[in-house]
Amino acid sequence: MEITSDAAPYDAQTSLTHLKQARRIAMLMAPRLGDSLLMMNMAYNLTTHGREVTVFGDYVHALRDWFPGMDVRPSLPEDKAGAVLSGDSSAGFDCAVQMHKGWPYSLHPHAPAYCYYDGHVVITGKDFIKLEQIRDFCRDEIGLACPGLDNGLRVPPKLQKRKHMRRVAIHPTSSSEQRCWAPRHFVELGLRLQRDGYDPYFILAPNERDDWNCLAESGLALLQAARLADVAAFIHESGWFIGNESGIGHLASNVGVPTLTVTGRPTRTRAWQPAWARSRIVYPGYIIGGRWRDQYWREWLFPGHVLYAFKRLMRDCAGDAKSLGAADNPPVPAPPSRPS
């Protein structure tokens, strides 16, 4: 397989050999929360197999206390990448890795050895889940002996998992308008959850809140949290999560909360769905293709459909608890020690 960057061809086999042989690895995260949490699976698997991994990414850095034992730093600006990633740098990285070619920037001008994950895999398709695909890539392509789905996130012990079982965290935005369900449907969903005895809380970034005055006008609660770590803590102690396809959905799953994702693109969303905790997706029963689907799915998917899927998610979790013979709170393994 060959992909091209701005000025240089990408040699997939050579890049993979670099990654297989590397002992010290720089991992550059895309400026997306979901992608960052997924790539932390690769970082953690490499670390538990004796590699030294330094992660550069603002989202993971905002959660650095939740990733004990991992070397997590802010995003690496491109104008400093050459000095940090070059073979002659004091850091001494053997290979630089990122999920997407060119995002956050092309690596070939800055690192003598580099690897793009999406140069070796199918990005979106049927019959796979991205988190499992990354784990399998660690085993089948990098050659790690026993990779798992863990990405190293550890919830602070002072927090209680799903403490508020009737609280539903709802995230109504995403990085793209095409991924966002209609605002009026989100409002109606919140009101119907209230009538059913639940406690819905909406999660919005500070810069998004002025566009969602409809929530306060309808008497719906909005989480007031400026830090990503505070959002993670709030979701961890909530019983459920509902939202668009977004990084916050991956965060909810990563902290152990069952998730329901609303979407108009079921094939893509199945592949990229949150996969650390129990998860479901819901979409309109009939979707035509192309621009019609992208334009109208957010209207054709009704709150009643989402509530029905939410109840199915609850039944799934009830079945899980019965099969385990205990509450949905399995023990979490301790983080690895840092390789010397």
Side-chain angles (χ1 to χ4, degrees):
M1 177 188 299
E2 181 177 286
I3 60 177
T4 58
S5 58
D6 294 339
Y10 181 68
D11 187 327
Q13 189 56 52
T14 299
S15 71
L16 193 57
T17 299
H18 288 318
L19 181 55
K20 286 180 178 179
Q21 296 175 349
R23 306 308 304 172
R24 300 195 66 194
I25 298 165
M27 185 168 292
L28 281 65
M29 297 300 187
R32 291 289 184 268
L33 174 59
D35 290 355
S36 298
L37 294 173
L38 288 167
M39 283 299 286
M40 283 301 293
N41 173 254
M42 184 185 298
Y44 185 74
N45 279 321
L46 286 164
T47 299
T48 57
H49 285 77
R51 315 293 183 91
E52 287 190 63
V53 181
T54 298
V55 175
F56 296 93
D58 290 337
Y59 284 109
V60 183
H61 189 256
L63 294 168
R64 58 192 178 279
D65 293 339
W66 296 55
F67 287 98
M70 302 293 290
D71 184 1
V72 176
R73 306 182 188 182
S75 293
L76 179 64
E78 186 172 9
D79 60 3
K80 296 182 180 178
V84 174
L85 301 178
S86 69
D88 297 331
S89 73
S90 60
F93 292 117
D94 302 316
C95 186
V97 183
Q98 61 190 35
M99 177 178 271
H100 309 292
K101 63 165 184 167
W103 205 24
Y105 43 78
S106 296
L107 291 173
H108 72 268
H110 311 296
Y114 59 92
C115 183
Y116 300 127
Y117 168 73
D118 67 5
H120 303 266
V121 299
V122 176
I123 300 304
T124 296
K126 295 182 178 180
D127 302 323
F128 72 86
I129 294 175
K130 184 58 62 175
L131 176 62
E132 297 174 355
Q133 185 191 55
I134 293 174
R135 174 203 60 194
D136 294 346
F137 177 81
C138 290
R139 181 191 63 218
D140 301 334
E141 303 299 333
I142 303 178
L144 304 184
C146 299
L149 298 178
D150 194 350
N151 71 346
L153 184 144
R154 298 292 180 265
V155 178
K158 65 180 180 180
L159 299 175
Q160 182 178 337
K161 182 178 180 180
R162 304 183 73 194
K163 177 180 179 181
H164 306 284
M165 284 297 296
R166 306 294 288 183
R167 189 167 76 195
V168 183
I170 301 176
H171 185 234
T173 61
S174 185
S175 59
S176 166
E177 184 180 353
Q178 290 183 352
R179 297 183 184 185
C180 294
W181 197 33
R184 65 184 182 87
H185 286 336
F186 268 116
V187 170
E188 178 61 23
L189 174 66
L191 295 174
R192 293 181 67 167
L193 285 168
Q194 281 185 337
R195 291 196 292 269
D196 287 347
Y198 291 93
D199 190 16
Y201 265 83
F202 284 78
I203 298 172
L204 293 166
N207 64 306
E208 297 172 332
R209 293 170 188 169
D210 288 345
D211 296 328
W212 286 84
N213 292 326
C214 55
L215 298 175
E217 292 168 358
S218 301
L220 295 168
L222 178 64
L223 172 64
Q224 300 292 335
R227 299 191 317 138
L228 185 59
D230 295 333
V231 174
F234 181 87
I235 295 175
H236 176 72
E237 293 196 328
S238 299
W240 311 91
F241 175 89
I242 301 174
N244 302 304
E245 181 186 352
S246 72
I248 297 293
H250 286 284
L251 179 62
S253 182
N254 208 169
V255 300
V257 174
T259 63
L260 177 63
T261 305
V262 295
T263 184
R265 292 177 172 262
T267 298
R268 173 191 164 82
T269 306
R270 283 194 186 97
W272 288 87
Q273 67 181 290
W276 284 283
R278 176 66 84 160
S279 146
R280 271 190 175 272
I281 69 172
V282 56
Y283 52 93
Y286 175 70
I287 303 181
I288 58 178
R291 288 177 294 178
W292 286 91
R293 173 195 59 202
D294 293 338
Q295 184 174 354
Y296 291 111
W297 79 266
R298 57 181 62 86
E299 299 293 340
W300 293 343
L301 180 63
F302 297 109
H305 299 151
V306 176
L307 280 172
Y308 177 77
F310 178 57
K311 291 176 181 177
R312 294 188 67 185
L313 177 64
M314 294 175 64
R315 289 197 295 270
D316 291 342
C317 293
D320 291 343
K322 290 178 182 178
S323 65
L324 290 171
D328 180 23
N329 193 17
V332 177
S337 58
R338 184 89 173 130
S340 59

